[in-house]
């Protein structure tokens, strides 16, 4: 039985979607069968982060309505173990059939090792649906005070939902900013009130790889790409140290 991971962020601008793409491709490189689903109904962007914007992709609605099978989800030519379903653009979140969505995810867990849900930001319906269905939750923040406060509020909401398997990723970390503000990753963890899954540096390779329509892990093996590889190992239960000095 596969595992369902929801990648969440209460605030926009944290780099959540790019991080979701990086982790998904890193898991696929580990020879895991991965399904990545863009759940941001009406505002999809995961295809760009995956460098799949030129592909003819199915939406998750196409699948749960029975028009296509999960096995027909578009496979990534650069990572054959990775499949992708996009979000519909001509639909409102409240129009998503919750029961059918849940059943589709239940079927996906029988066919894939990992299913990653790129949830929309905010605390709306699709955010709640993704969180509720997830086995584990990855909450993405940055080191900015407003983002950390928002992560803390989001973590509290998830706790009220009964979600206990929530881990924090601090993304777009700038070491010099941490040093100049005399702030540490431990401080951010304490403020967010959540255990740490990983830290990812600010990396210009992310927008450059998207512009060149190249997967991040094919564009570089350093910086954010290396961090995504380490996070993918931790997700699988493989010990991997977290060390800010690597940045």
């Amino acid at each position: 039985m596969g595992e369902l991971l929801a990648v969440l962020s209460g605030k926009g601008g944290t780099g959540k979607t790019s991080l979701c793409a990086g982790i998904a491709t890193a898991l696929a490189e580990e020879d895991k069968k991965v399904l990545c689903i863009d759940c941001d109904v009406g505002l999809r962007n995961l295809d760009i982060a995956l460098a799949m914007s030129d592909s003819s992709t199915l939406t998750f609605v196409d699948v749960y309505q029975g028009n296509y099978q999960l096995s027909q989800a578009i496979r990534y030519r650069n990572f054959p173990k990775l499949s992708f379903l996009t979000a519909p653009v001509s639909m409102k979140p409240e129009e998503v059939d919750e029961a059918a969505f849940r059943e589709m995810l239940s079927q996906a867990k029988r066919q894939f090792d990992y299913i990653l849900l790129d949830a929309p930001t905010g605390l709306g319906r699709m955010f709640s649906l993704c969180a509720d269905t997830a086995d584990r939750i990855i909450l993405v923040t940055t080191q900015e005070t407003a983002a950390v406060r928002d992560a803390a509020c989001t973590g509290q909401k998830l706790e009220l939902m009964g979600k206990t398997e929530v881990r924090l990723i601090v993304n777009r970390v700038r070491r010099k900013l941490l040093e100049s503000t005399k702030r540490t990753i431990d401080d951010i963890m304490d403020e967010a009130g959540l255990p740490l899954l990983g830290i990812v540096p600010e990396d210009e390779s992310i927008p450059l790889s998207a512009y060149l329509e190249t997967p991040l892990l094919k564009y570089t093996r350093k910086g954010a790409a290396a961090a995504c590889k380490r996070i993918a190992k931790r997700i699988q239960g493989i010990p991997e140290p977290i060390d800010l000095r690597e940045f």
Side-chain angles (χ1 to χ4, degrees):
M1 183 70 72
E3 189 170 23
L4 185 62
L5 307 175
V7 185
L8 309 179
S9 174
K11 187 179 187 300
T14 63
K16 167 186 62 65
T17 295
S18 297
L19 190 58
C20 180
I23 294 171
T25 50
L27 286 167
E29 273 200 343
E30 295 280 336
D31 205 34
K32 301 301 179 182
K33 194 174 182 184
V34 181
L35 174 63
C36 216
I37 306 178
D38 191 333
C39 298
D40 197 353
V41 176
L43 295 171
R44 60 188 185 188
N45 281 310
L46 184 55
D47 59 325
I48 296 173
L50 286 168
M52 293 183 72
S53 57
D54 61 343
S55 302
S56 299
T57 51
L58 299 177
T59 72
F60 64 77
V61 174
D62 291 326
V63 174
Y64 80 50
Q65 286 181 339
N67 300 318
Y68 296 89
Q69 301 296 314
L70 277 169
S71 59
Q72 293 175 280
I74 302 303
R75 292 190 181 181
Y76 202 175
R77 61 182 178 273
N78 289 291
F79 300 94
K81 290 282 188 175
L82 177 61
S83 299
F84 172 59
L85 291 174
T86 193
V89 293
S90 57
M91 179 180 276
K92 297 178 181 178
E94 56 268 23
E95 294 174 324
V96 172
D97 186 327
E98 181 176 329
F101 184 77
R102 289 176 182 273
E103 175 58 28
M104 179 192 70
L105 294 180
S106 179
Q107 293 176 20
K109 289 175 69 171
R110 293 192 287 269
Q111 298 181 38
F112 295 88
D113 298 311
Y114 293 99
I115 302 97
L116 274 72
L117 304 181
D118 180 30
T121 56
L123 303 176
R125 182 170 185 266
M126 287 304 295
F127 172 99
S128 297
L129 182 56
C130 290
D132 189 51
T133 56
D135 299 307
R136 282 195 278 174
I137 292 173
I138 298 171
L139 184 57
V140 183
T141 187
T142 62
Q143 67 198 81
E144 280 70 28
T145 302
V148 177
R149 178 186 294 176
D150 196 78
C153 292
T154 304
Q156 291 169 7
K157 178 177 175 61
L158 293 169
E159 185 178 359
L160 290 173
M161 293 174 65
K163 309 306 291 190
T164 58
E165 290 296 321
V166 183
R167 297 294 181 269
L168 187 72
I169 292 180
V170 185
N171 194 26
R172 305 181 65 179
V173 171
R174 288 171 286 171
R175 185 176 177 181
K176 288 184 178 179
L177 180 59
L178 285 176
E179 292 172 348
S180 64
T181 58
K182 302 186 185 306
R183 208 164 177 227
T184 68
I185 296 296
D186 285 341
D187 292 332
I188 294 173
M189 290 170 57
D190 290 342
E191 291 167 30
L194 292 166
L196 190 67
L197 178 62
I199 51 179
V200 182
E202 181 75 76
D203 190 347
E204 65 179 14
S205 295
I206 294 176
L208 285 172
S209 62
Y211 176 77
L212 296 171
E213 298 182 345
T214 302
L216 177 64
L217 269 66
K218 295 292 185 183
Y219 182 78
T220 182
R221 308 300 292 183
K222 300 178 180 178
C228 286
K229 291 282 288 181
R230 290 191 289 270
I231 290 168
K233 288 185 180 297
R234 294 184 199 114
I235 287 172
Q236 297 172 78
I238 302 170
E240 187 71 28
I242 299 175
D243 192 347
L244 186 61
R245 289 174 299 179
E246 295 176 2
F247 306 150

